[in-house]
Amino acid sequence: MAKKAYGASATPVRTPRDTEYAAFARITQRIRSSASKGTEDFAGLARALHDNRKLWTILATDVAGKTNGLPDQLRSQIIYLFGFVNLQSSKVLRGQASAEPLIEINTAIMRGLRQEARSE
């Protein structure tokens, strides 16, 4: 009984980086799926873009904080991408642009999160 109680957990511990990666992966997949359906799933695309904007708002707010430990240049780049994501999302919703750049940006962020996790 004690072995069971104190033994190795079947659920792996999630790091903040793993949580960020999972959020980006989930939202990116929703954008990709909805965008591929065209106007058939406009509501799904709108929800996915809204959630993507919320995720980027959280990320930008975090990196803008004085206690954030990222290098200043990376923080500036993330703030710039936040602005681009907002603008591009508006264009996508108006039918003036593709969601593909948003998917590419999120995918690049996910690659960066994975590379940083490997180097720790």
Side-chain angles (χ1 to χ4, degrees), residues 4-120:
K4 214 175 197 183
Y6 295 104
S9 173
T11 306
V13 175
R14 258 193 143 147
T15 66
R17 186 165 284 119
D18 291 336
T19 302
E20 287 176 342
Y21 182 93
F24 271 104
R26 194 170 38 257
I27 290 171
T28 304
Q29 179 54 38
R30 289 176 46 216
I31 295 170
R32 180 179 284 120
S33 175
S34 295
S36 73
K37 296 175 186 171
T39 57
E40 181 183 321
D41 191 20
F42 183 78
L45 179 60
R47 284 190 301 272
L49 292 176
H50 174 72
D51 289 345
N52 193 50
R53 281 177 162 170
K54 287 191 331 188
L55 178 60
W56 275 95
T57 299
I58 292 167
L59 182 62
T61 301
D62 180 54
V63 300
K66 293 178 182 179
T67 59
N68 187 284
L70 291 176
D72 288 344
Q73 183 177 357
L74 180 56
R75 292 169 64 186
S76 295
Q77 291 170 334
I78 290 171
I79 297 293
Y80 170 81
L81 287 173
F82 164 68
F84 178 82
V85 164
N86 276 320
L87 181 62
Q88 185 72 10
S89 295
S90 293
K91 289 179 180 180
V92 172
L93 290 171
R94 289 191 308 264
Q96 298 173 338
S98 166
E100 193 57 36
L102 300 171
I103 294 168
E104 290 173 9
I105 289 169
N106 284 7
T107 302
I109 294 294
M110 290 163 46
R111 273 194 305 270
L113 289 168
R114 279 293 179 229
Q115 287 175 352
E116 286 180 24
R118 287 187 195 126
S119 66
E120 290 179 342

